[in-house]
Amino acid sequence: MRRGAVRSVVVAGLLVLAGAGAGPAGAWAGPEADVSYHGRVALQRGQLRVWMVPQNEGPSALANATVRVRLSADLADAQEPAAGCARAGEREVVCETGPLPEHGRGRHIGLVLGLRERPAEVAVRIDTWWNGGAADRNHGNDEHVVLALDTGDAYAF
């Protein structure tokens, strides 16, 4: 796992949230991009699988971004996060997307998350936590809520 890379993305995200990059009177001085996520989730016997591909519709390329996956159930104590991902709380995981070219896709992100208990359903919230310092005016395609039932069936977003 590249903990240093994830840590740098998390720190950069905090700087963006604190207002770095904002110009006079709150005007945004950075690039503009339209980040989105497409994938599926499946829940079976206390294990949640999340597979997604980040995408950027432009108009600017991004060197990196961070996607956040939040759950309605607690994660098990022992987790083996995928490369570029880190646990960020009892119910939260963040992953770097890698480079997002203008009008292109990022790396595939696959998570296998153990849950503390075996819930009948889990609400999975997927959103952009840090977008590489870009303005994104269309959050309709990067904020998803998916209800996964404990059937093993895949639910698309």
Side-chain angles (χ1 to χ4, degrees):
M1 178 193 297
R2 300 179 328 221
R3 291 180 192 269
V6 172
R7 193 173 301 120
S8 66
V9 170
V10 170
V11 169
L14 290 173
L15 292 173
V16 169
L17 291 174
W28 189 255
E32 184 176 339
D34 183 11
V35 177
S36 63
Y37 306 101
H38 306 282
R40 60 187 181 269
V41 299
L43 175 65
Q44 188 170 29
R45 296 186 200 106
Q47 186 178 68
L48 182 72
R49 294 179 180 272
V50 180
W51 178 87
M52 73 180 102
V53 178
Q55 189 168 325
N56 177 13
E57 291 302 323
S60 300
L62 297 176
N64 206 349
T66 306
V67 60
R68 174 173 55 180
V69 178
R70 294 178 290 166
L71 311 175
S72 64
D74 289 344
L75 292 163
D77 291 334
Q79 296 290 328
E80 292 264 347
C85 297
R87 185 175 180 159
E90 289 295 315
R91 298 180 171 191
E92 190 171 333
V93 174
V94 294
C95 298
E96 63 181 354
T97 64
L100 293 173
E102 177 183 344
H103 303 291
R105 294 181 171 186
R107 70 180 183 91
H108 293 195
I109 298 170
L111 299 170
V112 178
L113 303 172
L115 303 178
R116 187 174 308 253
E117 298 179 6
R118 281 184 63 177
E121 62 185 36
V122 173
V124 182
R125 289 173 165 63
I126 297 161
D127 63 0
T128 301
W129 192 73
W130 179 71
N131 65 359
D136 187 340
R137 297 176 193 190
N138 178 14
H139 291 290
N141 59 5
D142 69 321
E143 296 177 353
H144 304 283
V145 180
V146 182
L147 181 64
L149 304 178
D150 187 11
T151 61
D153 294 329
Y155 299 90
F157 58 91

Tab-separated table of all heavy atoms in Angstrom, residues 90-133:
chain	number	residue	atom	x	y	z
A	90	GLU	N	-14.651	4.659	11.463
A	90	GLU	CA	-15.381	3.413	11.748
A	90	GLU	C	-16.200	2.934	10.551
A	90	GLU	O	-16.461	1.748	10.411
A	90	GLU	CB	-16.309	3.601	12.949
A	90	GLU	CG	-15.587	3.713	14.269
A	90	GLU	CD	-14.857	2.430	14.639
A	90	GLU	OE1	-15.436	1.341	14.497
A	90	GLU	OE2	-13.691	2.531	15.053
A	91	ARG	N	-16.614	3.871	9.703
A	91	ARG	CA	-17.502	3.544	8.590
A	91	ARG	C	-17.059	4.177	7.277
A	91	ARG	O	-17.867	4.369	6.383
A	91	ARG	CB	-18.923	4.032	8.904
A	91	ARG	CG	-19.537	3.384	10.105
A	91	ARG	CD	-20.922	3.908	10.371
A	91	ARG	NE	-21.568	3.123	11.404
A	91	ARG	CZ	-22.839	3.209	11.690
A	91	ARG	NH1	-23.609	4.052	11.029
A	91	ARG	NH2	-23.356	2.456	12.631
A	92	GLU	N	-15.790	4.485	7.147
A	92	GLU	CA	-15.354	5.280	5.996
A	92	GLU	C	-13.998	4.820	5.466
A	92	GLU	O	-13.094	4.518	6.227
A	92	GLU	CB	-15.264	6.737	6.440
A	92	GLU	CG	-15.070	7.729	5.376
A	92	GLU	CD	-15.217	9.150	5.911
A	92	GLU	OE1	-15.922	9.371	6.905
A	92	GLU	OE2	-14.608	10.035	5.310
A	93	VAL	N	-13.898	4.802	4.124
A	93	VAL	CA	-12.650	4.489	3.426
A	93	VAL	C	-12.462	5.557	2.352
A	93	VAL	O	-13.429	5.981	1.717
A	93	VAL	CB	-12.723	3.089	2.775
A	93	VAL	CG1	-11.490	2.808	1.933
A	93	VAL	CG2	-12.897	2.008	3.837
A	94	VAL	N	-11.221	5.993	2.149
A	94	VAL	CA	-10.902	6.937	1.073
A	94	VAL	C	-9.874	6.288	0.155
A	94	VAL	O	-9.017	5.531	0.605
A	94	VAL	CB	-10.388	8.303	1.600
A	94	VAL	CG1	-11.474	9.047	2.348
A	94	VAL	CG2	-9.161	8.134	2.472
A	95	CYS	N	-9.990	6.590	-1.143
A	95	CYS	CA	-9.071	6.024	-2.134
A	95	CYS	C	-8.652	7.111	-3.112
A	95	CYS	O	-9.486	7.913	-3.545
A	95	CYS	CB	-9.740	4.908	-2.936
A	95	CYS	SG	-10.260	3.492	-1.956
A	96	GLU	N	-7.387	7.095	-3.483
A	96	GLU	CA	-6.945	8.000	-4.534
A	96	GLU	C	-7.371	7.419	-5.880
A	96	GLU	O	-7.436	6.205	-6.052
A	96	GLU	CB	-5.447	8.220	-4.477
A	96	GLU	CG	-4.622	6.963	-4.702
A	96	GLU	CD	-3.130	7.212	-4.622
A	96	GLU	OE1	-2.708	8.381	-4.510
A	96	GLU	OE2	-2.386	6.233	-4.681
A	97	THR	N	-7.687	8.291	-6.810
A	97	THR	CA	-8.131	7.846	-8.125
A	97	THR	C	-6.973	7.655	-9.087
A	97	THR	O	-7.114	6.966	-10.085
A	97	THR	CB	-9.088	8.870	-8.758
A	97	THR	OG1	-8.368	10.090	-8.966
A	97	THR	CG2	-10.312	9.085	-7.918
A	98	GLY	N	-5.850	8.299	-8.811
A	98	GLY	CA	-4.775	8.351	-9.792
A	98	GLY	C	-5.116	9.426	-10.814
A	98	GLY	O	-6.115	10.143	-10.684
A	99	PRO	N	-4.309	9.565	-11.838
A	99	PRO	CA	-4.552	10.602	-12.846
A	99	PRO	C	-5.911	10.431	-13.520
A	99	PRO	O	-6.328	9.320	-13.827
A	99	PRO	CB	-3.423	10.396	-13.855
A	99	PRO	CG	-2.374	9.634	-13.123
A	99	PRO	CD	-3.092	8.796	-12.119
A	100	LEU	N	-6.595	11.543	-13.722
A	100	LEU	CA	-7.876	11.573	-14.428
A	100	LEU	C	-7.713	12.474	-15.641
A	100	LEU	O	-7.808	13.687	-15.538
A	100	LEU	CB	-8.997	12.088	-13.525
A	100	LEU	CG	-9.373	11.192	-12.350
A	100	LEU	CD1	-10.362	11.894	-11.431
A	100	LEU	CD2	-9.947	9.885	-12.853
A	101	PRO	N	-7.451	11.877	-16.805
A	101	PRO	CA	-7.265	12.697	-18.004
A	101	PRO	C	-8.559	13.395	-18.403
A	101	PRO	O	-9.657	12.950	-18.043
A	101	PRO	CB	-6.837	11.685	-19.069
A	101	PRO	CG	-7.306	10.367	-18.575
A	101	PRO	CD	-7.359	10.450	-17.076
A	102	GLU	N	-8.431	14.476	-19.121
A	102	GLU	CA	-9.606	15.180	-19.646
A	102	GLU	C	-10.371	14.206	-20.544
A	102	GLU	O	-9.797	13.577	-21.432
A	102	GLU	CB	-9.141	16.389	-20.452
A	102	GLU	CG	-10.254	17.157	-21.092
A	102	GLU	CD	-9.716	18.301	-21.943
A	102	GLU	OE1	-8.533	18.661	-21.795
A	102	GLU	OE2	-10.481	18.821	-22.747
A	103	HIS	N	-11.651	14.052	-20.283
A	103	HIS	CA	-12.513	13.127	-21.027
A	103	HIS	C	-11.974	11.695	-20.985
A	103	HIS	O	-11.977	10.991	-21.989
A	103	HIS	CB	-12.716	13.593	-22.472
A	103	HIS	CG	-13.287	14.965	-22.557
A	103	HIS	ND1	-14.571	15.255	-22.173
A	103	HIS	CD2	-12.734	16.137	-22.948
A	103	HIS	CE1	-14.797	16.546	-22.333
A	103	HIS	NE2	-13.691	17.108	-22.793
A	104	GLY	N	-11.510	11.270	-19.792
A	104	GLY	CA	-10.957	9.925	-19.663
A	104	GLY	C	-11.253	9.297	-18.318
A	104	GLY	O	-11.845	9.918	-17.435
A	105	ARG	N	-10.818	8.060	-18.170
A	105	ARG	CA	-11.049	7.279	-16.960
A	105	ARG	C	-9.790	7.157	-16.124
A	105	ARG	O	-8.679	7.175	-16.649
A	105	ARG	CB	-11.519	5.877	-17.331
A	105	ARG	CG	-12.868	5.862	-17.986
A	105	ARG	CD	-13.273	4.456	-18.301
A	105	ARG	NE	-14.663	4.448	-18.724
A	105	ARG	CZ	-15.343	3.360	-18.953
A	105	ARG	NH1	-14.771	2.182	-18.810
A	105	ARG	NH2	-16.604	3.423	-19.326
A	106	GLY	N	-9.995	6.967	-14.833
A	106	GLY	CA	-8.904	6.689	-13.909
A	106	GLY	C	-8.759	5.187	-13.711
A	106	GLY	O	-9.360	4.387	-14.429
A	107	ARG	N	-7.998	4.824	-12.708
A	107	ARG	CA	-7.757	3.405	-12.426
A	107	ARG	C	-8.993	2.758	-11.812
A	107	ARG	O	-9.794	3.425	-11.155
A	107	ARG	CB	-6.563	3.261	-11.487
A	107	ARG	CG	-6.827	3.750	-10.062
A	107	ARG	CD	-5.590	3.568	-9.186
A	107	ARG	NE	-5.858	3.959	-7.824
A	107	ARG	CZ	-6.303	3.134	-6.880
A	107	ARG	NH1	-6.525	1.877	-7.146
A	107	ARG	NH2	-6.526	3.574	-5.654
A	108	HIS	N	-9.151	1.481	-12.030
A	108	HIS	CA	-10.246	0.734	-11.413
A	108	HIS	C	-9.955	0.603	-9.928
A	108	HIS	O	-8.818	0.332	-9.537
A	108	HIS	CB	-10.374	-0.644	-12.029
A	108	HIS	CG	-10.811	-0.603	-13.455
A	108	HIS	ND1	-11.284	-1.702	-14.114
A	108	HIS	CD2	-10.856	0.390	-14.368
A	108	HIS	CE1	-11.602	-1.391	-15.351
A	108	HIS	NE2	-11.333	-0.115	-15.532
A	109	ILE	N	-10.977	0.795	-9.107
A	109	ILE	CA	-10.829	0.697	-7.660
A	109	ILE	C	-11.725	-0.447	-7.198
A	109	ILE	O	-12.925	-0.444	-7.459
A	109	ILE	CB	-11.242	2.008	-6.969
A	109	ILE	CG1	-10.330	3.151	-7.428
A	109	ILE	CG2	-11.205	1.849	-5.451
A	109	ILE	CD1	-10.797	4.524	-7.001
A	110	GLY	N	-11.130	-1.422	-6.533
A	110	GLY	CA	-11.881	-2.560	-6.016
A	110	GLY	C	-11.653	-2.705	-4.523
A	110	GLY	O	-10.508	-2.800	-4.075
A	111	LEU	N	-12.725	-2.691	-3.758
A	111	LEU	CA	-12.642	-2.825	-2.308
A	111	LEU	C	-13.397	-4.065	-1.859
A	111	LEU	O	-14.494	-4.335	-2.342
A	111	LEU	CB	-13.269	-1.608	-1.612
A	111	LEU	CG	-12.657	-0.253	-1.886
A	111	LEU	CD1	-13.540	0.847	-1.320
A	111	LEU	CD2	-11.275	-0.182	-1.268
A	112	VAL	N	-12.813	-4.792	-0.929
A	112	VAL	CA	-13.500	-5.880	-0.237
A	112	VAL	C	-13.436	-5.499	1.229
A	112	VAL	O	-12.364	-5.515	1.848
A	112	VAL	CB	-12.823	-7.241	-0.492
A	112	VAL	CG1	-13.546	-8.337	0.279
A	112	VAL	CG2	-12.785	-7.553	-1.977
A	113	LEU	N	-14.584	-5.109	1.785
A	113	LEU	CA	-14.646	-4.572	3.139
A	113	LEU	C	-15.408	-5.521	4.049
A	113	LEU	O	-16.578	-5.834	3.794
A	113	LEU	CB	-15.330	-3.203	3.127
A	113	LEU	CG	-14.683	-2.150	2.225
A	113	LEU	CD1	-15.564	-0.908	2.139
A	113	LEU	CD2	-13.296	-1.800	2.732
A	114	GLY	N	-14.742	-5.948	5.103
A	114	GLY	CA	-15.410	-6.756	6.110
A	114	GLY	C	-16.197	-5.849	7.045
A	114	GLY	O	-15.726	-4.781	7.426
A	115	LEU	N	-17.401	-6.272	7.410
A	115	LEU	CA	-18.239	-5.503	8.329
A	115	LEU	C	-18.214	-6.144	9.715
A	115	LEU	O	-18.041	-7.357	9.847
A	115	LEU	CB	-19.669	-5.426	7.795
A	115	LEU	CG	-19.799	-4.818	6.389
A	115	LEU	CD1	-21.256	-4.841	5.941
A	115	LEU	CD2	-19.238	-3.413	6.342
A	116	ARG	N	-18.391	-5.321	10.733
A	116	ARG	CA	-18.349	-5.797	12.114
A	116	ARG	C	-19.444	-6.833	12.375
A	116	ARG	O	-19.232	-7.815	13.064
A	116	ARG	CB	-18.489	-4.624	13.069
A	116	ARG	CG	-18.286	-4.996	14.521
A	116	ARG	CD	-18.298	-3.757	15.396
A	116	ARG	NE	-17.364	-2.776	14.887
A	116	ARG	CZ	-16.194	-2.469	15.449
A	116	ARG	NH1	-15.827	-3.076	16.539
A	116	ARG	NH2	-15.402	-1.564	14.924
A	117	GLU	N	-20.614	-6.596	11.817
A	117	GLU	CA	-21.741	-7.517	11.981
A	117	GLU	C	-22.240	-7.927	10.601
A	117	GLU	O	-21.701	-7.491	9.587
A	117	GLU	CB	-22.845	-6.838	12.788
A	117	GLU	CG	-22.405	-6.471	14.193
A	117	GLU	CD	-23.480	-5.766	14.995
A	117	GLU	OE1	-24.626	-5.648	14.498
A	117	GLU	OE2	-23.182	-5.327	16.106
A	118	ARG	N	-23.288	-8.741	10.564
A	118	ARG	CA	-23.889	-9.174	9.292
A	118	ARG	C	-25.231	-8.483	9.122
A	118	ARG	O	-26.282	-9.075	9.392
A	118	ARG	CB	-24.074	-10.682	9.279
A	118	ARG	CG	-22.813	-11.428	8.974
A	118	ARG	CD	-23.050	-12.903	8.864
A	118	ARG	NE	-23.956	-13.227	7.759
A	118	ARG	CZ	-24.273	-14.448	7.408
A	118	ARG	NH1	-23.773	-15.478	8.071
A	118	ARG	NH2	-25.092	-14.672	6.407
A	119	PRO	N	-25.239	-7.234	8.650
A	119	PRO	CA	-26.509	-6.528	8.482
A	119	PRO	C	-27.297	-7.075	7.292
A	119	PRO	O	-26.716	-7.621	6.350
A	119	PRO	CB	-26.079	-5.083	8.238
A	119	PRO	CG	-24.729	-5.208	7.615
A	119	PRO	CD	-24.098	-6.418	8.248
A	120	ALA	N	-28.614	-6.890	7.323
A	120	ALA	CA	-29.474	-7.300	6.214
A	120	ALA	C	-29.318	-6.360	5.023
A	120	ALA	O	-29.600	-6.739	3.888
A	120	ALA	CB	-30.934	-7.339	6.668
A	121	GLU	N	-28.852	-5.143	5.282
A	121	GLU	CA	-28.657	-4.155	4.229
A	121	GLU	C	-27.634	-3.122	4.683
A	121	GLU	O	-27.443	-2.924	5.883
A	121	GLU	CB	-29.969	-3.452	3.871
A	121	GLU	CG	-30.567	-2.671	5.033
A	121	GLU	CD	-31.927	-2.084	4.714
A	121	GLU	OE1	-32.707	-2.720	3.990
A	121	GLU	OE2	-32.189	-0.981	5.213
A	122	VAL	N	-27.008	-2.491	3.723
A	122	VAL	CA	-26.041	-1.427	4.006
A	122	VAL	C	-26.253	-0.315	2.984
A	122	VAL	O	-26.312	-0.576	1.774
A	122	VAL	CB	-24.579	-1.931	3.924
A	122	VAL	CG1	-23.596	-0.777	4.045
A	122	VAL	CG2	-24.296	-2.965	4.989
A	123	ALA	N	-26.370	0.913	3.457
A	123	ALA	CA	-26.387	2.077	2.567
A	123	ALA	C	-24.935	2.483	2.331
A	123	ALA	O	-24.154	2.646	3.276
A	123	ALA	CB	-27.175	3.226	3.183
A	124	VAL	N	-24.580	2.611	1.061
A	124	VAL	CA	-23.219	2.966	0.666
A	124	VAL	C	-23.270	4.339	0.005
A	124	VAL	O	-23.981	4.531	-0.976
A	124	VAL	CB	-22.640	1.926	-0.319
A	124	VAL	CG1	-21.204	2.281	-0.693
A	124	VAL	CG2	-22.718	0.519	0.272
A	125	ARG	N	-22.537	5.287	0.568
A	125	ARG	CA	-22.466	6.640	0.019
A	125	ARG	C	-21.096	6.819	-0.621
A	125	ARG	O	-20.075	6.606	0.021
A	125	ARG	CB	-22.673	7.668	1.109
A	125	ARG	CG	-24.074	7.734	1.614
A	125	ARG	CD	-24.201	8.650	2.831
A	125	ARG	NE	-25.556	9.020	3.149
A	125	ARG	CZ	-26.519	8.194	3.511
A	125	ARG	NH1	-26.282	6.900	3.562
A	125	ARG	NH2	-27.725	8.618	3.808
A	126	ILE	N	-21.104	7.239	-1.875
A	126	ILE	CA	-19.872	7.432	-2.631
A	126	ILE	C	-19.839	8.880	-3.089
A	126	ILE	O	-20.819	9.371	-3.669
A	126	ILE	CB	-19.830	6.465	-3.835
A	126	ILE	CG1	-19.821	5.034	-3.302
A	126	ILE	CG2	-18.627	6.759	-4.721
A	126	ILE	CD1	-20.222	4.008	-4.296
A	127	ASP	N	-18.735	9.567	-2.802
A	127	ASP	CA	-18.622	10.957	-3.229
A	127	ASP	C	-17.158	11.359	-3.350
A	127	ASP	O	-16.270	10.626	-2.953
A	127	ASP	CB	-19.379	11.907	-2.298
A	127	ASP	CG	-18.848	11.942	-0.873
A	127	ASP	OD1	-17.880	11.224	-0.562
A	127	ASP	OD2	-19.399	12.685	-0.053
A	128	THR	N	-16.944	12.512	-3.927
A	128	THR	CA	-15.591	13.051	-4.050
A	128	THR	C	-15.242	13.757	-2.752
A	128	THR	O	-15.945	14.666	-2.318
A	128	THR	CB	-15.503	14.052	-5.223
A	128	THR	OG1	-15.864	13.363	-6.419
A	128	THR	CG2	-14.107	14.622	-5.362
A	129	TRP	N	-14.146	13.342	-2.136
A	129	TRP	CA	-13.696	13.980	-0.910
A	129	TRP	C	-12.731	15.111	-1.241
A	129	TRP	O	-12.742	16.146	-0.616
A	129	TRP	CB	-13.028	12.945	-0.002
A	129	TRP	CG	-12.791	13.448	1.367
A	129	TRP	CD1	-13.729	13.660	2.325
A	129	TRP	CD2	-11.540	13.817	1.933
A	129	TRP	NE1	-13.123	14.142	3.458
A	129	TRP	CE2	-11.791	14.247	3.245
A	129	TRP	CE3	-10.242	13.818	1.454
A	129	TRP	CZ2	-10.780	14.672	4.084
A	129	TRP	CZ3	-9.235	14.242	2.290
A	129	TRP	CH2	-9.511	14.671	3.599
A	130	TRP	N	-11.909	14.895	-2.258
A	130	TRP	CA	-10.962	15.917	-2.725
A	130	TRP	C	-10.853	15.750	-4.224
A	130	TRP	O	-10.725	14.628	-4.724
A	130	TRP	CB	-9.607	15.734	-2.050
A	130	TRP	CG	-8.569	16.718	-2.494
A	130	TRP	CD1	-8.523	18.049	-2.218
A	130	TRP	CD2	-7.413	16.436	-3.301
A	130	TRP	NE1	-7.411	18.616	-2.803
A	130	TRP	CE2	-6.723	17.645	-3.469
A	130	TRP	CE3	-6.919	15.287	-3.885
A	130	TRP	CZ2	-5.548	17.733	-4.203
A	130	TRP	CZ3	-5.743	15.371	-4.622
A	130	TRP	CH2	-5.070	16.595	-4.764
A	131	ASN	N	-10.945	16.815	-4.976
A	131	ASN	CA	-10.982	16.706	-6.438
A	131	ASN	C	-9.755	17.290	-7.130
A	131	ASN	O	-9.857	17.801	-8.228
A	131	ASN	CB	-12.257	17.347	-6.989
A	131	ASN	CG	-12.294	18.830	-6.751
A	131	ASN	OD1	-11.379	19.398	-6.158
A	131	ASN	ND2	-13.343	19.474	-7.204
A	132	GLY	N	-8.632	17.213	-6.484
A	132	GLY	CA	-7.404	17.675	-7.137
A	132	GLY	C	-7.297	19.181	-7.242
A	132	GLY	O	-6.503	19.690	-8.012
A	133	GLY	N	-8.101	19.902	-6.486
A	133	GLY	CA	-8.058	21.352	-6.515
A	133	GLY	C	-8.895	21.979	-7.610
A	133	GLY	O	-8.772	23.167	-7.891
